[in-house]
Amino acid sequence: YFEVETPILQSIPGGAAARPFITHHNALDIPLYLRIANELYLKRLIVGGFDGVYEFSKNFRNEGMDRTHNPEFTAMEIYVAYKDYNWMMDFTERLLEHCAKAVNGTTKAVFGEHEIDWKAPYERISMTDAIKKFTGYDITGKSEEELRTFAKSIGIDVNDTMGKGKLIDEIFGEKCEGNFIQPTFITDYPVEMSPLTKKHRDKEGLTERFELMVCGKEIANSYSELNDPIDQRERFEEQMKLSEKGDDEAMFIDQDFLRALEYGMPPTAGLGIGMDRLIMFLTNNASIQEVLFFPQ
């Protein structure tokens, strides 16, 4: 695969749900955004004919700080043509097993009171099944209002700006995420949570996406990439509606990216890994400040 560099200053911040930092370009007299992710540029390179590209990118997100979040952080993103999220799950667990051995000489790494075993294969559970397991509630086919009512009933702080995706994310984050200590793939996210992801080939209302959880934290996110420009435009338009409701993390419509998809992107699998968090887990550091020379 080919290592590349993509712009840090972007006219449209895309590729993730996050609030961007905004700056101004004096010569062009236009606003620019520090990148929140490099995804949409890397996928344009796949459109352009590269079979596989990756980048270690510095990303910037204008949001809260805690033990696992810094406003600037390093991510590794990789996109491989003619693959899907099932292939990427196998790739990810092999990659992380290799990293663990390279750093510690063994697949096992101590993190706090836990011993994490990075040896492949990792357990896999769908998001729907995870929520059912830890709350007893089946989110399948539920309306936004039903989800909001349920979230409130179990003590989760939700509000009217949150659409279905955000509500499900809050339920999962509050009630499920912390239970996954050993590396576990959470798969098949609802379509509302995944505006850049291909719809599931078998399961209505879901997408071909996984996140990797370790010690109750997400360290990797992956999709079978959405390559249908009509579907992608509709998903961006749904994001605009969320933005109008007051969701400051909703995505912009990126016309350049849509035009690239109209030329044609092969079926593609993408993966992003949070490098700072991965290093925390491999070196037994409980705070992101311990793996950055100059934390904010």
Side-chain angles (χ1 to χ4, degrees), residues 14-16 37-44 77 79 196 223 225 257:
N38 52 1
E39 173 164 344
L40 301 188
Y41 285 90
L42 292 175
K43 287 201 277 202
R44 281 188 243 179
E77 290 201 28
Y79 293 82
L196 299 166
Y223 325 139
E225 301 297 335
F257 175 63

mmCIF file of all heavy atoms in Angstrom, residues 14-16 37-44 77 79 196 223 225 257:
data_model
loop_
_atom_site.group_PDB
_atom_site.id
_atom_site.type_symbol
_atom_site.label_atom_id
_atom_site.label_comp_id
_atom_site.label_asym_id
_atom_site.label_seq_id
_atom_site.Cartn_x
_atom_site.Cartn_y
_atom_site.Cartn_z
ATOM 1 N N GLY A 14 -14.594 16.986 6.683
ATOM 2 C CA GLY A 14 -15.417 15.804 6.456
ATOM 3 C C GLY A 14 -14.744 14.539 6.945
ATOM 4 O O GLY A 14 -13.597 14.549 7.384
ATOM 5 N N GLY A 15 -15.494 13.435 6.863
ATOM 6 C CA GLY A 15 -14.952 12.132 7.191
ATOM 7 C C GLY A 15 -15.198 11.691 8.613
ATOM 8 O O GLY A 15 -14.801 10.600 9.002
ATOM 9 N N ALA A 16 -15.861 12.536 9.422
ATOM 10 C CA ALA A 16 -16.160 12.160 10.807
ATOM 11 C C ALA A 16 -17.256 13.069 11.336
ATOM 12 O O ALA A 16 -17.563 14.105 10.739
ATOM 13 C CB ALA A 16 -14.914 12.283 11.681
ATOM 14 N N ALA A 37 -10.643 14.572 9.865
ATOM 15 C CA ALA A 37 -10.278 13.235 9.369
ATOM 16 C C ALA A 37 -9.796 13.393 7.934
ATOM 17 O O ALA A 37 -10.115 14.382 7.270
ATOM 18 C CB ALA A 37 -11.468 12.282 9.426
ATOM 19 N N ASN A 38 -9.050 12.406 7.450
ATOM 20 C CA ASN A 38 -8.544 12.486 6.068
ATOM 21 C C ASN A 38 -9.317 11.563 5.120
ATOM 22 O O ASN A 38 -8.957 11.413 3.961
ATOM 23 C CB ASN A 38 -7.047 12.154 6.027
ATOM 24 C CG ASN A 38 -6.719 10.845 6.726
ATOM 25 O OD1 ASN A 38 -7.596 10.154 7.228
ATOM 26 N ND2 ASN A 38 -5.446 10.516 6.759
ATOM 27 N N GLU A 39 -10.403 10.991 5.605
ATOM 28 C CA GLU A 39 -11.127 9.941 4.878
ATOM 29 C C GLU A 39 -11.524 10.318 3.454
ATOM 30 O O GLU A 39 -11.300 9.568 2.508
ATOM 31 C CB GLU A 39 -12.386 9.557 5.684
ATOM 32 C CG GLU A 39 -13.306 8.612 4.956
ATOM 33 C CD GLU A 39 -14.313 7.954 5.883
ATOM 34 O OE1 GLU A 39 -14.140 7.986 7.104
ATOM 35 O OE2 GLU A 39 -15.287 7.395 5.360
ATOM 36 N N LEU A 40 -12.143 11.498 3.300
ATOM 37 C CA LEU A 40 -12.713 11.813 1.983
ATOM 38 C C LEU A 40 -11.626 12.048 0.939
ATOM 39 O O LEU A 40 -11.829 11.774 -0.248
ATOM 40 C CB LEU A 40 -13.652 13.024 2.080
ATOM 41 C CG LEU A 40 -14.832 12.848 3.057
ATOM 42 C CD1 LEU A 40 -15.806 14.011 2.941
ATOM 43 C CD2 LEU A 40 -15.562 11.528 2.840
ATOM 44 N N TYR A 41 -10.455 12.511 1.365
ATOM 45 C CA TYR A 41 -9.338 12.676 0.423
ATOM 46 C C TYR A 41 -8.751 11.316 0.042
ATOM 47 O O TYR A 41 -8.421 11.074 -1.126
ATOM 48 C CB TYR A 41 -8.247 13.565 1.037
ATOM 49 C CG TYR A 41 -8.624 15.026 1.061
ATOM 50 C CD1 TYR A 41 -9.300 15.573 2.148
ATOM 51 C CD2 TYR A 41 -8.320 15.859 -0.012
ATOM 52 C CE1 TYR A 41 -9.662 16.914 2.162
ATOM 53 C CE2 TYR A 41 -8.675 17.203 -0.009
ATOM 54 C CZ TYR A 41 -9.351 17.718 1.083
ATOM 55 O OH TYR A 41 -9.704 19.044 1.085
ATOM 56 N N LEU A 42 -8.594 10.437 1.025
ATOM 57 C CA LEU A 42 -8.025 9.116 0.724
ATOM 58 C C LEU A 42 -8.944 8.331 -0.217
ATOM 59 O O LEU A 42 -8.478 7.634 -1.121
ATOM 60 C CB LEU A 42 -7.782 8.339 2.018
ATOM 61 C CG LEU A 42 -6.663 8.907 2.911
ATOM 62 C CD1 LEU A 42 -6.579 8.137 4.216
ATOM 63 C CD2 LEU A 42 -5.317 8.907 2.210
ATOM 64 N N LYS A 43 -10.261 8.470 -0.033
ATOM 65 C CA LYS A 43 -11.184 7.761 -0.928
ATOM 66 C C LYS A 43 -11.129 8.343 -2.339
ATOM 67 O O LYS A 43 -11.284 7.612 -3.319
ATOM 68 C CB LYS A 43 -12.608 7.794 -0.363
ATOM 69 C CG LYS A 43 -12.760 6.862 0.834
ATOM 70 C CD LYS A 43 -14.179 6.451 1.127
ATOM 71 C CE LYS A 43 -14.918 7.445 1.922
ATOM 72 N NZ LYS A 43 -16.070 6.867 2.640
ATOM 73 N N ARG A 44 -10.857 9.644 -2.460
ATOM 74 C CA ARG A 44 -10.698 10.227 -3.803
ATOM 75 C C ARG A 44 -9.476 9.630 -4.508
ATOM 76 O O ARG A 44 -9.469 9.496 -5.739
ATOM 77 C CB ARG A 44 -10.565 11.747 -3.712
ATOM 78 C CG ARG A 44 -11.920 12.438 -3.521
ATOM 79 C CD ARG A 44 -11.761 13.929 -3.637
ATOM 80 N NE ARG A 44 -12.115 14.572 -2.390
ATOM 81 C CZ ARG A 44 -12.049 15.870 -2.177
ATOM 82 N NH1 ARG A 44 -11.606 16.678 -3.136
ATOM 83 N NH2 ARG A 44 -12.407 16.380 -1.020
ATOM 84 N N GLU A 77 -5.112 5.988 8.872
ATOM 85 C CA GLU A 77 -6.253 5.535 8.063
ATOM 86 C C GLU A 77 -5.731 4.822 6.821
ATOM 87 O O GLU A 77 -4.759 5.264 6.204
ATOM 88 C CB GLU A 77 -7.155 6.709 7.660
ATOM 89 C CG GLU A 77 -7.921 7.282 8.839
ATOM 90 C CD GLU A 77 -9.166 8.059 8.426
ATOM 91 O OE1 GLU A 77 -9.744 7.763 7.363
ATOM 92 O OE2 GLU A 77 -9.564 8.966 9.187
ATOM 93 N N TYR A 79 -7.158 2.617 3.186
ATOM 94 C CA TYR A 79 -8.268 2.258 2.276
ATOM 95 C C TYR A 79 -7.736 1.283 1.239
ATOM 96 O O TYR A 79 -6.686 1.531 0.642
ATOM 97 C CB TYR A 79 -8.835 3.524 1.602
ATOM 98 C CG TYR A 79 -9.510 4.382 2.637
ATOM 99 C CD1 TYR A 79 -8.761 5.230 3.444
ATOM 100 C CD2 TYR A 79 -10.873 4.267 2.879
ATOM 101 C CE1 TYR A 79 -9.351 5.954 4.460
ATOM 102 C CE2 TYR A 79 -11.477 4.995 3.888
ATOM 103 C CZ TYR A 79 -10.710 5.830 4.677
ATOM 104 O OH TYR A 79 -11.304 6.525 5.697
ATOM 105 N N LEU A 196 -21.264 7.455 5.971
ATOM 106 C CA LEU A 196 -20.312 7.195 4.887
ATOM 107 C C LEU A 196 -20.178 5.693 4.588
ATOM 108 O O LEU A 196 -19.286 5.285 3.856
ATOM 109 C CB LEU A 196 -18.940 7.766 5.250
ATOM 110 C CG LEU A 196 -18.890 9.284 5.487
ATOM 111 C CD1 LEU A 196 -17.594 9.683 6.157
ATOM 112 C CD2 LEU A 196 -19.089 10.046 4.207
ATOM 113 N N TYR A 223 -15.317 0.629 7.761
ATOM 114 C CA TYR A 223 -16.528 0.404 6.962
ATOM 115 C C TYR A 223 -16.205 -0.365 5.680
ATOM 116 O O TYR A 223 -15.097 -0.294 5.168
ATOM 117 C CB TYR A 223 -17.164 1.701 6.436
ATOM 118 C CG TYR A 223 -17.138 2.931 7.249
ATOM 119 C CD1 TYR A 223 -16.877 4.161 6.630
ATOM 120 C CD2 TYR A 223 -17.414 2.923 8.612
ATOM 121 C CE1 TYR A 223 -16.892 5.340 7.341
ATOM 122 C CE2 TYR A 223 -17.420 4.102 9.331
ATOM 123 C CZ TYR A 223 -17.160 5.308 8.700
ATOM 124 O OH TYR A 223 -17.165 6.481 9.397
ATOM 125 N N GLU A 225 -16.943 0.837 2.426
ATOM 126 C CA GLU A 225 -17.207 2.242 2.098
ATOM 127 C C GLU A 225 -18.407 2.396 1.159
ATOM 128 O O GLU A 225 -18.584 1.624 0.218
ATOM 129 C CB GLU A 225 -15.967 2.861 1.438
ATOM 130 C CG GLU A 225 -14.720 2.802 2.303
ATOM 131 C CD GLU A 225 -14.818 3.590 3.598
ATOM 132 O OE1 GLU A 225 -15.608 4.557 3.654
ATOM 133 O OE2 GLU A 225 -14.111 3.226 4.556
ATOM 134 N N PHE A 257 -16.330 15.583 -3.230
ATOM 135 C CA PHE A 257 -16.296 14.151 -2.947
ATOM 136 C C PHE A 257 -17.428 13.435 -3.688
ATOM 137 O O PHE A 257 -17.224 12.364 -4.269
ATOM 138 C CB PHE A 257 -16.400 13.913 -1.435
ATOM 139 C CG PHE A 257 -16.485 12.454 -1.071
ATOM 140 C CD1 PHE A 257 -15.438 11.586 -1.365
ATOM 141 C CD2 PHE A 257 -17.608 11.942 -0.446
ATOM 142 C CE1 PHE A 257 -15.516 10.242 -1.037
ATOM 143 C CE2 PHE A 257 -17.697 10.603 -0.117
ATOM 144 C CZ PHE A 257 -16.645 9.750 -0.411
#
